[in-house]
Amino acid sequence: MDHITYQFEYAERIPVAFIGAGGHSYRNVYPSFQYAPVDLRAVCDLDGERAAEYARLFGAPRSYTDHRELLERERPAAVFVVTSYAEDGRVQATDLALDCLRAGAHVWMEKPTAASVAEIRQLQRESAAAGRFVMTGLKKIFTPAMERTKEIISAPEFGEVSSVSVRYPQSLPAFEERHDLRAMRGFLDHIYHPGAVLHHLMGDVCGFGYQWEPVSGASTASLRFASGAVGTLHLAAGSAGTSPLERVEVVGQDANVVVDNSVRLTYYRRGARLGYGRSPSYVVNEEHAPLHWEPEFSLGQLYNKNLFYLGYVPELLHFCDSVLAGTPPTRGTLEDSLAVMRLFEAYRTVPAGTFVDLPLNPSPPNENGAA
Ligand SMILES: NC(=O)c1ccc[n+]([C@@H]2O[C@H](COP(=O)([O-])OP(=O)(O)OC[C@H]3O[C@@H](n4cnc5c(N)ncnc54)[C@H](O)[C@@H]3O)[C@@H](O)[C@H]2O)c1
């Protein structure tokens, strides 16, 4: 994607509806529509005044408080769902997505897609039955830095990927509390971010174990991937609020790549020879030198907007391209969500200090997400 079309410039726009008029959608999702081929026909929220305000502000002619009425009357080709959590900790968007599928609409939804493997399985079944797809906004795998990282590690000169480390601040509750989805809400909300990155870059996890620290709830997981590579997931609860949240490093063969703070990308390329004890300079030839990218943050350019460098517009465009082409998305798929849910259930049910094969078999008894 190297050229962005403004919404009003598109010759063909998808008739869409939006369920949810909350904080995140106001800041990041509705504004991304400025750059997507959508025609927003209606907004729905349980809070009718907010639904009407959002409709007015973001250009939809109608608003609703009942999503079923919206689906019935508007018959949208696609629905965007950005809602929250039920009292019992379940994800509201899961059931809403099922209703949209049954009404014949494609679905784009915010993470979390669901709270269990079983719910993802149900979405997969109903998506296949309806012939409509469900995509989750896994923004981390749509950032320009992560897109390039995937290209770099897939190129032959990077060599076989050997290991990965992902750092992300997130607290894991005590083991005794993890059966309760309400206690797991923060963890569920966030595991989708590092979990999506791991799955996108490395594929399926086949072995999993972790250590846990009780004061902050921090943890360090040790991972083995089906590819044969190994990795760590450092959930760095206890970090300062001013700290960059994330760091991702992938190591190949004589090459590695680092993404710092989502936007700083450095590729340490193979081939430099710095003989020990005899090399007078670290300034290697250009052909072996590291490559480094970061935004300039001065110009009023699209790439300087968080809507772009955090992946929001790119993820919406991937969905819209899929709808217009009639081909399922390849990123943010239910398969991707399934991989994250398997990790989530492993954290929920495996005690610290043990190492298990994934996927867990049989799946945990509370996989329907009931508290
Ligand atoms: N990817 C990201 O960067 C990111 C960041 C923040 C939040 N999120 C996700 O976005 C979602 C929303 O978060 P938020 O903080 O904006 O929540 P919020 O509580 O501010 O908004 C949710 C809205 O959904 C509405 N809603 C709930 N059930 C509904 C229904 N059946 N019909 C119509 N409207 C309904 C609520 O009334 C509320 O207005 C969450 O899933 C969260 O994980 C993602």
Side-chain angles (χ1 to χ4, degrees), residues 83-106:
T83 50
S84 189
Y85 294 87
E87 292 278 306
D88 62 2
R90 284 192 66 233
V91 176
Q92 292 170 324
T94 312
D95 292 339
L96 292 168
L98 289 168
D99 283 345
C100 295
L101 288 173
R102 290 166 192 157
H106 297 293

Side-chain angles (χ1 to χ4, degrees), residues 121-160:
R121 291 281 188 216
Q122 188 185 2
L123 283 166
Q124 286 178 315
R125 281 193 303 275
E126 298 230 11
S127 166
R132 298 288 184 272
F133 39 76
V134 176
M135 178 181 157
T136 302
L138 303 179
K139 66 173 180 179
K140 301 286 174 194
I141 62 176
F142 288 91
T143 69
M146 199 53 70
E147 286 185 333
R148 181 55 66 91
T149 298
K150 180 69 177 171
E151 284 170 21
I152 288 170
I153 70 170
S154 304
E157 56 270 25
F158 193 74
E160 199 71 25

Side-chain angles (χ1 to χ4, degrees), residues 202-220:
M202 307 295 291
D204 287 332
V205 176
C206 66
F208 168 85
Y210 68 97
Q211 297 291 337
W212 180 76
E213 183 277 323
V215 179
S216 65
S219 61
T220 52

Side-chain angles (χ1 to χ4, degrees), residues 161-168 191 194-195 197-199 201-202 205 207-211 219-225 229-236 247-251 343 347 355:
V161 173
S162 52
S163 64
V164 66
S165 79
V166 174
R167 177 229 202 258
Y168 189 91
I191 191 64
V197 168
L198 283 169
H199 188 244
L201 296 179
M202 307 295 291
V205 176
F208 168 85
Y210 68 97
Q211 297 291 337
S219 61
T220 52
S222 173
L223 308 165
R224 176 165 285 285
F225 296 91
V230 294
T232 59
L233 175 54
H234 176 196
L235 296 179
R247 188 169 192 279
V248 175
E249 177 164 15
V250 189
V251 184
L343 208 51
Y347 275 107
F355 197 87

Side-chain angles (χ1 to χ4, degrees), residues 19 21-24 45-46 50 83 92 110-111 139 189 312:
I19 304 177
H24 168 59
D45 197 283
L46 299 174
R50 206 128 36 74
T83 50
Q92 292 170 324
E110 254 307 346
K111 55 83 197 163
K139 66 173 180 179
D189 208 56
Y312 295 117

